Amino acid sequence: MEDAEASLTEEEERRFQAVLFSELGNKIADQGWARFPAYTPEDRRRLVEVAHRLSTYWGQQVFVEAEDQCRLRLYLTGYEVLSEQGNVAPGG
C-alpha cells in the first residue's frame, strides 16, 4: 500500500526528474558532487536516471554511489572521496 501511495503519475515523474536534473546538476557543476536522500528503490532509480541524463547532457560521466541506506551521492571524476570538511576533494 505504501508504494501505491508514493507512486507518481507520468507527468509528476517527468516534472520531478526535471527539478532534480536542474537542482542536482547545478550543485554538481558548482562543487563536483551532490548528495540526495533515497529512501526507496524508486528514489534510487530516479537518481540513477538523473545521473545518466546529466552524463549525456555534459558528455562526461556522472557517477552514483550509496553513502548509506538512505542517501546517494552523485559526483564527477576527481570527487570520488571527500575530505572530512565534506567539500574538498583530496589533492584538489
Side-chain angles (χ1 to χ4, degrees), residues 1-8 40 42 46:
M1 189 70 181
E2 187 174 308
D3 287 338
E5 292 175 14
S7 295
L8 301 177
T40 66
E42 185 64 20
R46 188 175 290 121

Side-chain angles (χ1 to χ4, degrees), residues 2-82:
E2 187 174 308
D3 287 338
E5 292 175 14
S7 295
L8 301 177
T9 67
E10 286 184 37
E11 179 64 17
E12 290 169 334
E13 179 69 27
R14 187 188 65 72
R15 288 182 183 182
F16 188 40
Q17 283 202 25
V19 169
L20 289 174
F21 181 87
S22 176
E23 295 296 320
L24 293 176
N26 287 337
K27 190 163 189 179
I28 294 167
D30 288 344
Q31 66 184 28
W33 62 275
R35 64 174 51 106
F36 201 81
Y39 300 110
T40 66
E42 185 64 20
D43 291 339
R44 291 185 282 282
R45 181 209 54 80
R46 188 175 290 121
L47 291 171
V48 168
E49 176 63 30
V50 168
H52 287 243
R53 289 181 54 212
L54 287 167
S55 294
T56 300
Y57 183 74
W58 286 336
Q60 64 177 317
Q61 182 70 40
V62 176
F63 298 94
V64 180
E65 70 180 9
E67 288 193 320
D68 56 36
Q69 291 180 340
C70 299
R71 188 171 47 189
L72 290 182
R73 190 166 164 273
L74 287 69
Y75 62 92
L76 299 173
T77 299
Y79 294 89
E80 290 85 356
V81 179
L82 296 180

